[in-house]
Amino acid sequence: MRFIGIVILILNGIIFGQEMAFFQEDITFRIDNEYFQVDGFYWFSNKSGKRLEKSIYFPFGNSPHSKAIDSINVLNISKNTTADIINLSGRGFSFLLEVAPGDTEVYRIRYREELTCDSARYILTSTRRWNKPLEQAEYKLIVSGGVEITGFSIEADRIYGIDGERIYYWKRKEFMPENDMIFHFEK
């Protein structure tokens, strides 16, 4: 009987994980002489017949040498409401994700970090917790203010120059990140 209870608990976890899906992201990074900024759109769907709520942990990629993250904002674009930030620390924060039955919600997450070293990191590998690759992912890095990129953890697909800024672009389908996005630069 105890064995059956354990199996039911495991299956409930698997089923819940399949009901809520994180399936797409579109993120713009900016690096200038002072800050690393993140402005991302994240798509979540609820494939179940009931309203789902889930606490989502959003990790920061900052190093021990970086200063505090500021200007954090989480907005539910679909409902035009601000999500409450909970459990904020120097390593990340959580927010409550709410999705109606059979619906999709888009959240916009923005924050800014003061640069104190020669690299900036954004955590991509946390996608693995969803046990499913992103159907689509797009990333853009905009560099200005005399900053020069010296390397990446993931090479850009394209590079553009517009109005004195360099724009690096990545596009992926069925993307299960093996590495975090790390930008190395010189000021």
Side-chain angles (χ1 to χ4, degrees):
M1 192 64 163
R2 183 176 171 198
F3 174 75
I4 292 172
I6 292 171
V7 169
I8 289 171
L9 284 174
I10 292 171
L11 287 176
N12 278 339
I14 292 169
I15 290 167
F16 179 77
Q18 292 173 347
E19 291 176 341
M20 180 82 76
F22 168 44
F23 66 93
Q24 183 175 336
E25 64 185 8
D26 184 340
I27 305 171
T28 301
F29 307 102
R30 289 183 176 272
I31 295 177
D32 61 27
N33 277 321
E34 295 182 62
Y35 297 102
F36 173 57
Q37 298 175 58
V38 175
D39 186 354
F41 294 88
Y42 305 84
W43 282 257
F44 300 90
S45 66
N46 176 355
K47 298 179 183 186
S48 78
K50 62 182 187 259
R51 176 174 200 74
L52 295 177
E53 294 181 358
K54 183 175 184 174
S55 178
I56 301 294
Y57 180 71
F58 189 94
F60 297 132
N62 55 335
S63 73
H65 306 292
S66 65
K67 293 190 178 180
I69 304 288
D70 68 9
S71 307
I72 302 167
N73 183 268
V74 180
L75 179 67
N76 180 326
I77 296 294
S78 306
K79 293 188 173 93
N80 196 28
T81 58
T82 301
D84 291 331
I85 295 170
I86 49 179
N87 301 321
L88 175 63
S89 74
R91 293 292 178 206
F93 66 90
S94 297
F95 67 96
L96 186 62
L97 172 67
E98 301 176 72
V99 186
D103 205 356
T104 297
E105 297 287 343
V106 180
Y107 281 75
R108 182 179 189 183
I109 299 174
R110 295 182 288 184
Y111 68 88
R112 181 176 80 164
E113 172 185 354
E114 187 172 348
L115 293 172
T116 59
C117 56
D118 63 355
S119 64
R121 178 176 168 211
Y122 179 81
I123 305 292
L124 288 177
T125 52
S126 60
T127 301
R128 294 189 164 283
R129 293 185 194 141
W130 292 88
N131 297 319
K132 183 180 173 213
L134 293 169
E135 292 173 17
Q136 183 170 314
E138 289 190 38
Y139 308 100
K140 293 156 290 292
L141 169 63
I142 301 170
V143 180
S144 61
V147 174
E148 182 180 329
I149 296 296
T150 58
F152 299 105
S153 59
I154 302 171
E155 287 302 315
D157 298 330
R158 294 188 184 131
I159 303 170
Y160 304 96
I162 300 174
D163 294 331
E165 295 180 320
R166 304 262 314 158
I167 301 169
Y168 301 85
Y169 177 77
W170 297 259
K171 184 173 184 173
R172 301 289 188 270
K173 290 188 184 262
E174 297 303 317
F175 185 47
M176 184 62 84
E178 296 287 328
N179 302 302
D180 292 328
M181 187 73 82
I182 301 172
F183 310 113
H184 300 280
F185 56 85
E186 291 178 351
K187 296 182 187 180

